[in-house]
């Protein structure tokens, strides 16, 4: 029997943590509210699996999202509100036939909400037009991200098939990989033949008498408009990792109610043959000899980031335990944080970063941390994390002391580590000399909705240039640690990455705040607990 559960898409429930607390909360609600919550729970179907294969279907849904109006699509390129008929049914049938043939079930994530309310295959700002729709959209992609992580943990590598429908070639299956980008790992490991050759998935589909476009062995580019959407871009191996992603665009004649059983059977035969050649077969071997799992670090490199971020990137490049992705504001706005363990906002201009991220980007960061992601702010990034400006993230319960004299000068200062700071940063020294470059002087904000922060270091000496009064900087917080939802935040006012000998403090902070992966579950319900 499939291990099936359906994720409750209620932000309040996500904050309570865990399926059990969600169910308990639901049982305490009045009958009408229980009914409404059950409706929300049905909008994304998620099944954990026992194969290194994930099936996704973003456009087959039929249901309305409660209290959400139909999208208008103003300013959205190639706006589309039509569903891909029967792709949800085909995906369900495909999972069943794969289980029958291969003896185990793939992971499955299906959007049950209609595309006219939210488009699960578009980047965030083009996908929804309300917070209620955003919550459902986020739950869909968070489920895929967690399935991706589990596949890589259990088998080291795997494949995702994103099931779509198209009408331009009614009897054909079109390939969508961004012309190979979303299968970067597959091609780098096995060569181009793994994508376009006789033994590739499209070679195997052709053996099942499907028309495939581009043809087997062809180096033609994939059809424009069908060459891979947001789902395979966000979760495939183009941006790192070892899960490859392929969009399968099936013609409408292949997904009628009459043809679905035949289509699913043939697809299963093709997938099984492909898996025999290119996918790992022994999960236990992967578990016995797991590769070192690198911490996935995203570094903001857009407007408001100074040249100091280049030194930060050099520091991170020296570590074998992290993989680094440069992030633009648009990446953050469009869901890139789903596949990041730690986000670093570097030095520069906190206001410049915050304003360029916009409310969508700032809320994406807050949601990411709230759901367990790690955050490090350095100098400008610490200003950004505070709860003191209109463009602040409000993820650290801190205000900025003497805001009017923020440009108080640059130079080396002494900071004094607290006991907590020495433990966390693994330092035997009570005082450290560190470069200061006009970072925030932090103090408690006492915001009722944000947990109090812990001081890891205070300023022992000061810089008071450009009219800044003397005596203000001493004793204010230089390094702080806070909790926000299920995530951890560390903010450095000074610059460890620019101070010779203190660069490792950044790596220690990464290790402390990184997203924690839960152990595999023996039963349903863990795939969405990231």
């Amino acid at each position: 029997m499939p291990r099936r559960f359906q994720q409750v898409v209620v932000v309040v429930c996500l904050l309570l943590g865990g399926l059990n607390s969600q169910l308990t909360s639901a049982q305490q609600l009045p009958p009408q509210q229980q009914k409404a919550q059950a409706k929300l729970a049905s909008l994304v179907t998620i099944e954990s699996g026992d194969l290194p294969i994930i099936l996704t279907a973003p456009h087959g849904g039929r249901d309305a999202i409660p209290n959400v109006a139909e999208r208008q699509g103003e300013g959205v390129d190639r706006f589309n509100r039509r569903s891909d008929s029967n792709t949800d049914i085909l995906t369900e049938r495909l999972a069943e036939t794969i289980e029958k043939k291969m003896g185990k079930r793939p992971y499955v994530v299906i959007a049950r909400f209609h595309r006219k309310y939210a488009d699960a295959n578009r980047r965030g700002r083009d996908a929804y037009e309300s917070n209620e729709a955003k919550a459902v959209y986020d739950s869909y992609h968070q489920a895929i991200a967690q399935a991706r992580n589990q596949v890589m943990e259990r088998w080291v590598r795997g494949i995702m098939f994103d099931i779509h429908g198209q009408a331009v070639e009614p009897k054909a299956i079109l390939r969508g990989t961004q012309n190979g980008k979303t299968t970067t790992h597959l091609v780098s490991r096995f060569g181009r033949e793994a994508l376009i050759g006789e033994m590739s998935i499209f070679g195997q589909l052709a053996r099942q008498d499907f028309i495939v476009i581009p043809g087997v062995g062809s180096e033609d580019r994939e059809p424009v408009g069908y060459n891979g959407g947001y789902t395979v871009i966000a979760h495939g191996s183009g941006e790192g990792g070892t899960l490859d992603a392929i969009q399968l665009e099936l013609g409408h004649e292949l997904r009628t109610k009459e043809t679905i059983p035949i289509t699913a059977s043939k697809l299963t035969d093709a997938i099984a043959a492909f898996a025999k050649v290119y996918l790992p077969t022994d999960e236990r071997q992967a578990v016995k000899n797991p590769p070192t799992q690198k911490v996935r670090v995203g570094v903001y490199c857009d407007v408001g980031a100074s040249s100091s971020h280049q030194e930060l990137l050099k520091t991170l490049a020296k570590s074998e335990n992290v993989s680094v992705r440069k992030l633009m504001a648009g990446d953050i706005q469009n869901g890139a944080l789903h596949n990041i363990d730690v986000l670093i906002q570097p030095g520069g201009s906190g206001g410049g970063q915050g304003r360029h991220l916009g409310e969508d980007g700032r809320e994406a960061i807050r949601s990411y941390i709230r759901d367990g992601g790690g955050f490090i702010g350095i100098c400008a990034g610490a200003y950004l994390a505070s709860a003191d400006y209109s463009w602040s993230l409000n993820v650290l319960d801190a205000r900025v002391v003497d805001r009017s004299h923020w440009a108080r000068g640059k130079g080396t200062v002494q900071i004094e580590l607290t006991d907590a700071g020495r433990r966390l940063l693994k330092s035997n020294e009570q005082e450290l000399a560190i470069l200061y470059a006009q970072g925030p002087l932090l103090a408690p904000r006492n915001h009722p909705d944000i947990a109090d922060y812990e001081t890891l270091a205070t300023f022992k000496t000061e810089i008071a240039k450009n009219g800044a009064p003397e005596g203000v900087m001493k004793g204010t917080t230089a390094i702080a640690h806070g909790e926000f939802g299920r995530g951890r935040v560390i903010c450095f006012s000074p610059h460890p990455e620019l101070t010779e000998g203190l660069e490792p403090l950044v790596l220690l902070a990464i290790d402390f705040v990184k997203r924690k992966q839960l152990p595999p579950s023996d039963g349903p319900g863990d795939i969405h607990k990231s």
Side-chain angles (χ1 to χ4, degrees):
M1 293 294 292
R3 299 184 293 169
R4 175 175 296 183
F5 66 93
Q6 293 173 313
Q7 186 171 4
V8 179
V9 189
V10 183
V11 174
V12 144
C13 290
L14 291 176
L15 293 177
L16 292 176
L19 185 62
N20 291 334
S21 61
Q22 293 173 14
L23 294 175
T24 301
S25 299
Q27 291 164 359
Q28 295 170 351
L29 293 173
Q32 185 137 0
Q33 290 187 40
Q34 288 188 38
K35 185 176 180 181
Q37 195 171 87
K39 173 64 177 175
L40 287 169
S42 69
L43 292 175
V44 180
T45 295
I46 310 165
E47 297 176 8
S48 58
D50 288 304
L51 290 170
I53 298 170
I54 303 171
L55 304 180
T56 57
H59 289 158
R62 298 165 169 78
D63 294 345
I65 301 175
N67 303 314
V68 172
E70 294 184 12
R71 295 185 302 137
Q72 300 304 305
E74 184 176 347
V76 177
D77 184 41
R78 295 186 293 112
F79 179 65
N80 190 347
R81 295 193 298 186
R82 296 188 300 275
S83 66
D84 290 352
S85 61
N86 295 332
T87 50
D88 55 340
I89 299 172
L90 173 59
T91 302
E92 291 176 330
R93 186 62 177 260
L94 180 57
E96 292 170 2
T97 54
I98 287 175
E99 184 176 23
K100 287 179 181 177
K101 185 174 183 68
M102 301 182 71
K104 296 178 181 179
R105 196 170 181 88
Y107 290 78
V108 179
V109 183
I110 301 174
R112 299 296 185 181
F113 50 91
H114 197 286
R115 191 178 188 179
K116 60 188 176 183
Y117 300 103
D119 189 335
N121 197 43
R122 298 297 292 267
R123 59 185 181 174
R125 65 188 181 193
D126 294 339
Y128 47 78
E129 296 175 359
S130 70
N131 289 332
E132 292 83 357
K134 178 182 183 298
V136 179
Y137 170 92
D138 285 346
S139 74
Y140 178 80
H141 283 285
Q142 287 165 2
I144 297 174
Q146 188 68 3
R148 176 185 189 268
N149 291 342
Q150 286 196 11
V151 166
M152 291 193 294
E153 288 170 2
R154 294 172 67 183
W155 292 275
V156 182
R157 54 193 171 84
I159 192 81
M160 179 176 79
F161 296 110
D162 194 33
I163 308 300
H164 290 254
Q166 50 84 19
V168 294
E169 295 285 350
K171 296 182 179 181
I173 301 178
L174 279 56
R175 184 183 78 213
T177 65
Q178 288 285 301
N179 296 299
K181 183 178 180 181
T182 66
T183 55
T184 296
H185 175 263
L186 178 72
V187 172
S188 66
R189 185 181 179 95
F190 297 105
R192 287 282 293 172
E193 284 294 304
L195 178 63
I196 67 173
E198 295 288 340
M199 304 303 289
S200 71
I201 186 61
F202 285 88
Q204 302 292 353
L205 290 171
R207 290 187 179 193
Q208 297 296 323
D209 297 323
F210 286 116
I211 300 169
V212 296
I213 301 175
V216 178
S218 172
E219 292 287 355
D220 289 349
R221 295 181 68 79
E222 295 162 355
V224 175
Y226 302 94
N227 62 340
Y230 175 73
T231 302
V232 295
I233 294 171
H235 302 288
S237 62
E239 298 293 346
T242 54
L243 184 96
D244 297 290
I246 298 175
Q247 183 170 301
L248 300 178
E249 290 272 2
L250 287 91
H252 66 82
E253 291 189 18
L254 302 178
R255 48 191 168 86
T256 66
K257 290 185 178 179
E258 294 73 26
T259 59
I260 278 177
I262 299 171
T263 298
S265 178
K266 289 183 175 183
L267 281 172
T268 294
D269 288 343
I271 290 170
F274 170 83
K276 189 173 182 180
V277 177
Y278 293 113
L279 294 182
T281 57
D282 189 352
E283 177 188 356
R284 291 172 298 176
Q285 184 66 29
V287 172
K288 282 179 185 175
N289 301 295
T292 300
Q293 293 295 317
K294 293 188 175 184
V295 181
R296 301 165 300 173
V297 177
V299 177
Y300 177 87
C301 299
D302 207 338
V303 173
S306 71
S307 59
S308 67
H309 84 274
Q310 298 292 350
E311 294 303 314
L312 174 62
L313 293 171
K314 290 178 184 178
T315 294
L316 298 177
K318 295 175 183 176
S319 172
E320 296 180 353
N321 298 323
V322 301
S323 62
V324 180
R325 177 179 176 185
K326 299 178 183 178
L327 295 174
M328 307 299 282
D331 298 324
I332 292 171
Q333 292 162 352
N334 295 320
L337 297 182
H338 289 313
N339 292 314
I340 293 296
D341 298 315
V342 177
L343 171 65
I344 302 180
Q345 293 288 145
S349 166
Q353 294 177 24
R355 284 185 285 267
H356 191 61
L357 283 163
E359 181 53 35
D360 285 350
R362 296 194 298 271
E363 179 55 34
I365 294 174
R366 284 190 287 268
S367 295
Y368 154 79
I369 303 171
R370 190 182 291 119
D371 292 340
F375 178 93
I376 296 173
I378 301 176
C379 195
Y383 278 108
L384 181 65
S386 75
D388 212 27
Y389 298 89
S390 60
W391 40 260
S392 290
L393 292 175
N394 299 304
V395 297
L396 186 76
D397 186 22
R399 63 185 177 88
V400 177
V401 176
D402 197 19
R403 283 173 45 165
S404 61
H405 296 103
W406 65 269
R408 60 195 315 107
K410 305 176 183 180
T412 299
V413 297
Q414 293 290 126
I415 61 172
E416 184 171 11
L417 297 177
T418 63
D419 290 343
R422 288 197 296 275
R423 286 194 303 270
L424 194 154
L425 300 174
K426 302 186 187 308
S427 175
N428 294 322
E429 303 293 330
Q430 186 163 356
E431 294 184 17
L432 298 174
I434 191 168
L435 178 67
Y436 172 80
Q438 303 180 155
L441 314 183
L442 299 173
R445 179 70 175 172
N446 298 318
H447 193 293
D449 298 324
I450 310 174
D452 294 343
Y453 73 75
E454 178 180 41
T455 298
L456 302 181
T458 58
F459 288 109
K460 188 167 185 181
T461 63
E462 67 177 354
I463 294 177
K465 301 176 183 178
N466 305 322
E470 294 183 357
V472 172
M473 184 171 174
K474 292 179 182 180
T476 60
T477 301
I479 308 175
H481 155 241
E483 307 280 335
F484 186 76
R486 293 192 288 130
R488 289 174 169 176
V489 174
I490 285 184
C491 288
F492 295 89
S493 173
H495 284 271
E497 83 287 12
L498 299 180
T499 306
E500 186 175 357
L502 296 188
E503 301 94 333
L505 296 188
V506 178
L507 300 176
L508 289 167
I510 288 171
D511 188 60
F512 181 75
V513 305
K514 67 185 178 184
R515 185 195 300 273
K516 299 297 185 291
Q517 298 297 337
L518 294 182
S521 168
D522 291 330
D526 264 10
I527 190 174
H528 68 87
K529 300 178 186 176
S530 55

